[in-house]
Amino acid sequence: MSPKVLARVLYNNFDFPTESSILLHPAVLENYVRSGLIDESYPALVPSSDSCSVTGIVVRNVSQQQVDRLDEFEGDEYERRTVVVHDLENGEDIEAQCYIWVDDLKRLTGVDWDFEEFLQNRFKDWIEKEMKAIESCIP
């Protein structure tokens, strides 16, 4: 998840507040792939037996309320599961919770989801949609 998307989910803002205790570390999850979804801009993380890996971030110091917000954001297409990731910042293998795709596998494109392509071509549309949602809540 993009740090800006994460900040939006956790703090209703696109940046982390200066007083945030959240720590982000780059990490690798082995034996999974991040697939595109048909007609969606977001990906699905699914197990793979092809020795694939997915690079992402480990988010530390998350409160239960923030976990609840993430659960709501991810919805019922995903299930939060415990996995082992390799934290690239400190070189350790650690247990982490990850949102794994549990919806219909027929929705997968079979093509790796490209984070850079999302940032360049789809992120702006997503932010504009989110800003409209924020503005609709302001009296």
Side-chain angles (χ1 to χ4, degrees), residues 67-85:
V67 170
D68 293 344
R69 292 183 101 178
L70 287 165
D71 287 347
E72 183 178 335
F73 176 78
E74 296 297 352
D76 58 5
E77 296 172 319
Y78 301 88
E79 181 177 280
R80 185 166 36 92
R81 296 182 185 164
T82 301
V83 296
V84 175
V85 299

Side-chain angles (χ1 to χ4, degrees), residues 5 13 32 40 50 55 65 71-72 80-81 85 88 111 114 118 120-121:
V5 173
N13 199 326
Y32 280 81
E40 299 292 354
D50 293 337
T55 302
Q65 180 183 16
D71 287 347
E72 183 178 335
R80 185 166 36 92
R81 296 182 185 164
V85 299
L88 295 172
V111 176
D114 186 338
F118 169 76
Q120 291 176 359
N121 301 319

Side-chain angles (χ1 to χ4, degrees), residues 41-69:
S41 61
Y42 56 92
L45 189 63
V46 293
S48 172
S49 59
D50 293 337
S51 300
C52 297
S53 64
V54 174
T55 302
I57 56 173
V58 171
V59 182
R60 295 183 185 234
N61 300 334
V62 181
S63 71
Q64 185 57 53
Q65 180 183 16
Q66 290 169 323
V67 170
D68 293 344
R69 292 183 101 178

Side-chain angles (χ1 to χ4, degrees), residues 6 8 16 20 22 26 41 43 45 54-55 61 64 67 95 99 111 123-124 127 134 136:
L6 182 63
R8 169 67 175 107
F16 287 88
S20 173
I22 299 289
S41 61
L45 189 63
V54 174
T55 302
N61 300 334
Q64 185 57 53
V67 170
E95 283 192 349
Y99 291 94
V111 176
F123 187 63
K124 183 180 177 207
I127 285 179
I134 291 169
S136 71

